[in-house]
mmCIF file with all atom_site columns, all heavy atoms in Angstrom:
data_model
loop_
_atom_site.group_PDB
_atom_site.id
_atom_site.type_symbol
_atom_site.label_atom_id
_atom_site.label_alt_id
_atom_site.label_comp_id
_atom_site.label_asym_id
_atom_site.label_entity_id
_atom_site.label_seq_id
_atom_site.pdbx_PDB_ins_code
_atom_site.Cartn_x
_atom_site.Cartn_y
_atom_site.Cartn_z
_atom_site.occupancy
_atom_site.B_iso_or_equiv
_atom_site.pdbx_formal_charge
_atom_site.auth_seq_id
_atom_site.auth_comp_id
_atom_site.auth_asym_id
_atom_site.auth_atom_id
_atom_site.pdbx_PDB_model_num
ATOM 1  N N   . TYR H 1 290 ? 6.838  8.692  0.657  1.00 98.00 ? 290 TYR H N   1
ATOM 2  C CA  . TYR H 1 290 ? 5.944  9.140  1.768  1.00 98.00 ? 290 TYR H CA  1
ATOM 3  C C   . TYR H 1 290 ? 4.754  9.885  1.186  1.00 98.00 ? 290 TYR H C   1
ATOM 4  O O   . TYR H 1 290 ? 4.908  10.725 0.315  1.00 98.00 ? 290 TYR H O   1
ATOM 5  C CB  . TYR H 1 290 ? 6.738  10.063 2.744  1.00 98.00 ? 290 TYR H CB  1
ATOM 6  C CG  . TYR H 1 290 ? 5.833  10.535 3.822  1.00 98.00 ? 290 TYR H CG  1
ATOM 7  C CD1 . TYR H 1 290 ? 5.433  9.721  4.888  1.00 98.00 ? 290 TYR H CD1 1
ATOM 8  C CD2 . TYR H 1 290 ? 5.448  11.890 3.881  1.00 98.00 ? 290 TYR H CD2 1
ATOM 9  C CE1 . TYR H 1 290 ? 4.560  10.223 5.876  1.00 98.00 ? 290 TYR H CE1 1
ATOM 10 C CE2 . TYR H 1 290 ? 4.640  12.385 4.909  1.00 98.00 ? 290 TYR H CE2 1
ATOM 11 C CZ  . TYR H 1 290 ? 4.209  11.529 5.886  1.00 98.00 ? 290 TYR H CZ  1
ATOM 12 O OH  . TYR H 1 290 ? 3.437  12.041 6.882  1.00 98.00 ? 290 TYR H OH  1
ATOM 13 N N   . SER H 1 291 ? 3.602  9.557  1.695  1.00 97.00 ? 291 SER H N   1
ATOM 14 C CA  . SER H 1 291 ? 2.372  10.244 1.261  1.00 97.00 ? 291 SER H CA  1
ATOM 15 C C   . SER H 1 291 ? 1.685  10.785 2.528  1.00 97.00 ? 291 SER H C   1
ATOM 16 O O   . SER H 1 291 ? 1.569  10.169 3.551  1.00 97.00 ? 291 SER H O   1
ATOM 17 C CB  . SER H 1 291 ? 1.444  9.250  0.540  1.00 97.00 ? 291 SER H CB  1
ATOM 18 O OG  . SER H 1 291 ? 0.194  9.896  0.156  1.00 97.00 ? 291 SER H OG  1
ATOM 19 N N   . SER H 1 292 ? 1.187  12.001 2.440  1.00 95.00 ? 292 SER H N   1
ATOM 20 C CA  . SER H 1 292 ? 0.506  12.666 3.533  1.00 95.00 ? 292 SER H CA  1
ATOM 21 C C   . SER H 1 292 ? -0.879 13.140 3.107  1.00 95.00 ? 292 SER H C   1
ATOM 22 O O   . SER H 1 292 ? -1.006 13.652 2.004  1.00 95.00 ? 292 SER H O   1
ATOM 23 C CB  . SER H 1 292 ? 1.367  13.910 4.036  1.00 95.00 ? 292 SER H CB  1
ATOM 24 O OG  . SER H 1 292 ? 0.652  14.586 5.061  1.00 95.00 ? 292 SER H OG  1
ATOM 25 N N   . PRO H 1 293 ? -1.907 12.974 3.958  1.00 95.00 ? 293 PRO H N   1
ATOM 26 C CA  . PRO H 1 293 ? -1.853 12.392 5.328  1.00 95.00 ? 293 PRO H CA  1
ATOM 27 C C   . PRO H 1 293 ? -1.740 10.870 5.301  1.00 95.00 ? 293 PRO H C   1
ATOM 28 O O   . PRO H 1 293 ? -1.966 10.194 4.268  1.00 95.00 ? 293 PRO H O   1
ATOM 29 C CB  . PRO H 1 293 ? -3.216 12.793 5.879  1.00 95.00 ? 293 PRO H CB  1
ATOM 30 C CG  . PRO H 1 293 ? -4.099 12.858 4.704  1.00 95.00 ? 293 PRO H CG  1
ATOM 31 C CD  . PRO H 1 293 ? -3.256 13.388 3.579  1.00 95.00 ? 293 PRO H CD  1
ATOM 32 N N   . THR H 1 294 ? -1.332 10.341 6.441  1.00 95.00 ? 294 THR H N   1
ATOM 33 C CA  . THR H 1 294 ? -1.064 8.941  6.574  1.00 95.00 ? 294 THR H CA  1
ATOM 34 C C   . THR H 1 294 ? -1.790 8.434  7.824  1.00 95.00 ? 294 THR H C   1
ATOM 35 O O   . THR H 1 294 ? -2.360 9.255  8.605  1.00 95.00 ? 294 THR H O   1
ATOM 36 C CB  . THR H 1 294 ? 0.391  8.563  6.627  1.00 95.00 ? 294 THR H CB  1
ATOM 37 O OG1 . THR H 1 294 ? 0.571  7.194  6.710  1.00 95.00 ? 294 THR H OG1 1
ATOM 38 C CG2 . THR H 1 294 ? 1.065  9.245  7.858  1.00 95.00 ? 294 THR H CG2 1
ATOM 39 N N   . ILE H 1 295 ? -1.897 7.150  8.039  1.00 92.00 ? 295 ILE H N   1
ATOM 40 C CA  . ILE H 1 295 ? -2.517 6.574  9.215  1.00 92.00 ? 295 ILE H CA  1
ATOM 41 C C   . ILE H 1 295 ? -1.651 5.409  9.688  1.00 92.00 ? 295 ILE H C   1
ATOM 42 O O   . ILE H 1 295 ? -0.818 4.893  8.991  1.00 92.00 ? 295 ILE H O   1
ATOM 43 C CB  . ILE H 1 295 ? -3.951 6.066  8.923  1.00 92.00 ? 295 ILE H CB  1
ATOM 44 C CG1 . ILE H 1 295 ? -3.982 5.076  7.743  1.00 92.00 ? 295 ILE H CG1 1
ATOM 45 C CG2 . ILE H 1 295 ? -4.912 7.208  8.695  1.00 92.00 ? 295 ILE H CG2 1
ATOM 46 C CD1 . ILE H 1 295 ? -5.343 4.615  7.416  1.00 92.00 ? 295 ILE H CD1 1
ATOM 47 N N   . ASP H 1 296 ? -1.856 4.992  10.918 1.00 92.00 ? 296 ASP H N   1
ATOM 48 C CA  . ASP H 1 296 ? -1.116 3.929  11.501 1.00 92.00 ? 296 ASP H CA  1
ATOM 49 C C   . ASP H 1 296 ? -1.720 2.602  11.134 1.00 92.00 ? 296 ASP H C   1
ATOM 50 O O   . ASP H 1 296 ? -2.897 2.282  11.421 1.00 92.00 ? 296 ASP H O   1
ATOM 51 C CB  . ASP H 1 296 ? -1.178 4.026  13.039 1.00 92.00 ? 296 ASP H CB  1
ATOM 52 C CG  . ASP H 1 296 ? -0.246 3.026  13.773 1.00 92.00 ? 296 ASP H CG  1
ATOM 53 O OD1 . ASP H 1 296 ? 0.230  2.130  13.050 1.00 92.00 ? 296 ASP H OD1 1
ATOM 54 O OD2 . ASP H 1 296 ? -0.078 3.171  14.959 1.00 92.00 ? 296 ASP H OD2 1
ATOM 55 N N   . PRO H 1 297 ? -1.005 1.782  10.337 1.00 91.00 ? 297 PRO H N   1
ATOM 56 C CA  . PRO H 1 297 ? -1.600 0.480  9.911  1.00 91.00 ? 297 PRO H CA  1
ATOM 57 C C   . PRO H 1 297 ? -1.844 -0.473 11.005 1.00 91.00 ? 297 PRO H C   1
ATOM 58 O O   . PRO H 1 297 ? -2.587 -1.483 10.796 1.00 91.00 ? 297 PRO H O   1
ATOM 59 C CB  . PRO H 1 297 ? -0.502 -0.081 8.952  1.00 91.00 ? 297 PRO H CB  1
ATOM 60 C CG  . PRO H 1 297 ? 0.785  0.549  9.402  1.00 91.00 ? 297 PRO H CG  1
ATOM 61 C CD  . PRO H 1 297 ? 0.420  1.896  9.917  1.00 91.00 ? 297 PRO H CD  1
ATOM 62 N N   . ASN H 1 298 ? -1.298 -0.253 12.223 1.00 89.00 ? 298 ASN H N   1
ATOM 63 C CA  . ASN H 1 298 ? -1.580 -1.176 13.331 1.00 89.00 ? 298 ASN H CA  1
ATOM 64 C C   . ASN H 1 298 ? -3.041 -1.165 13.758 1.00 89.00 ? 298 ASN H C   1
ATOM 65 O O   . ASN H 1 298 ? -3.492 -2.141 14.389 1.00 89.00 ? 298 ASN H O   1
ATOM 66 C CB  . ASN H 1 298 ? -0.665 -0.769 14.527 1.00 89.00 ? 298 ASN H CB  1
ATOM 67 C CG  . ASN H 1 298 ? 0.725  -1.097 14.322 1.00 89.00 ? 298 ASN H CG  1
ATOM 68 O OD1 . ASN H 1 298 ? 1.125  -2.265 14.147 1.00 89.00 ? 298 ASN H OD1 1
ATOM 69 N ND2 . ASN H 1 298 ? 1.630  -0.098 14.277 1.00 89.00 ? 298 ASN H ND2 1
ATOM 70 N N   . ILE H 1 299 ? -3.777 -0.110 13.395 1.00 86.00 ? 299 ILE H N   1
ATOM 71 C CA  . ILE H 1 299 ? -5.212 -0.045 13.743 1.00 86.00 ? 299 ILE H CA  1
ATOM 72 C C   . ILE H 1 299 ? -5.984 -1.206 13.004 1.00 86.00 ? 299 ILE H C   1
ATOM 73 O O   . ILE H 1 299 ? -7.003 -1.736 13.481 1.00 86.00 ? 299 ILE H O   1
ATOM 74 C CB  . ILE H 1 299 ? -5.892 1.277  13.402 1.00 86.00 ? 299 ILE H CB  1
ATOM 75 C CG1 . ILE H 1 299 ? -5.847 1.524  11.895 1.00 86.00 ? 299 ILE H CG1 1
ATOM 76 C CG2 . ILE H 1 299 ? -5.224 2.370  14.167 1.00 86.00 ? 299 ILE H CG2 1
ATOM 77 C CD1 . ILE H 1 299 ? -6.592 2.759  11.454 1.00 86.00 ? 299 ILE H CD1 1
ATOM 78 N N   . PHE H 1 300 ? -5.430 -1.630 11.861 1.00 83.00 ? 300 PHE H N   1
ATOM 79 C CA  . PHE H 1 300 ? -6.155 -2.688 11.111 1.00 83.00 ? 300 PHE H CA  1
ATOM 80 C C   . PHE H 1 300 ? -5.884 -4.110 11.719 1.00 83.00 ? 300 PHE H C   1
ATOM 81 O O   . PHE H 1 300 ? -6.493 -5.018 11.314 1.00 83.00 ? 300 PHE H O   1
ATOM 82 C CB  . PHE H 1 300 ? -5.690 -2.669 9.668  1.00 83.00 ? 300 PHE H CB  1
ATOM 83 C CG  . PHE H 1 300 ? -6.085 -1.397 8.952  1.00 83.00 ? 300 PHE H CG  1
ATOM 84 C CD1 . PHE H 1 300 ? -5.135 -0.415 8.703  1.00 83.00 ? 300 PHE H CD1 1
ATOM 85 C CD2 . PHE H 1 300 ? -7.410 -1.140 8.586  1.00 83.00 ? 300 PHE H CD2 1
ATOM 86 C CE1 . PHE H 1 300 ? -5.466 0.770  8.074  1.00 83.00 ? 300 PHE H CE1 1
ATOM 87 C CE2 . PHE H 1 300 ? -7.729 0.012  7.962  1.00 83.00 ? 300 PHE H CE2 1
ATOM 88 C CZ  . PHE H 1 300 ? -6.766 1.017  7.684  1.00 83.00 ? 300 PHE H CZ  1
ATOM 89 N N   . SER H 1 301 ? -4.894 -4.147 12.626 1.00 77.00 ? 301 SER H N   1
ATOM 90 C CA  . SER H 1 301 ? -4.647 -5.413 13.342 1.00 77.00 ? 301 SER H CA  1
ATOM 91 C C   . SER H 1 301 ? -5.351 -5.458 14.694 1.00 77.00 ? 301 SER H C   1
ATOM 92 O O   . SER H 1 301 ? -5.168 -6.414 15.444 1.00 77.00 ? 301 SER H O   1
ATOM 93 C CB  . SER H 1 301 ? -3.109 -5.601 13.507 1.00 77.00 ? 301 SER H CB  1
ATOM 94 O OG  . SER H 1 301 ? -2.516 -5.686 12.286 1.00 77.00 ? 301 SER H OG  1
#
Side-chain angles (χ1 to χ4, degrees):
Y290 177 72
S291 178
S292 178
T294 183
I295 54 181
D296 186 350
N298 288 299
I299 64 173
F300 297 103
S301 297

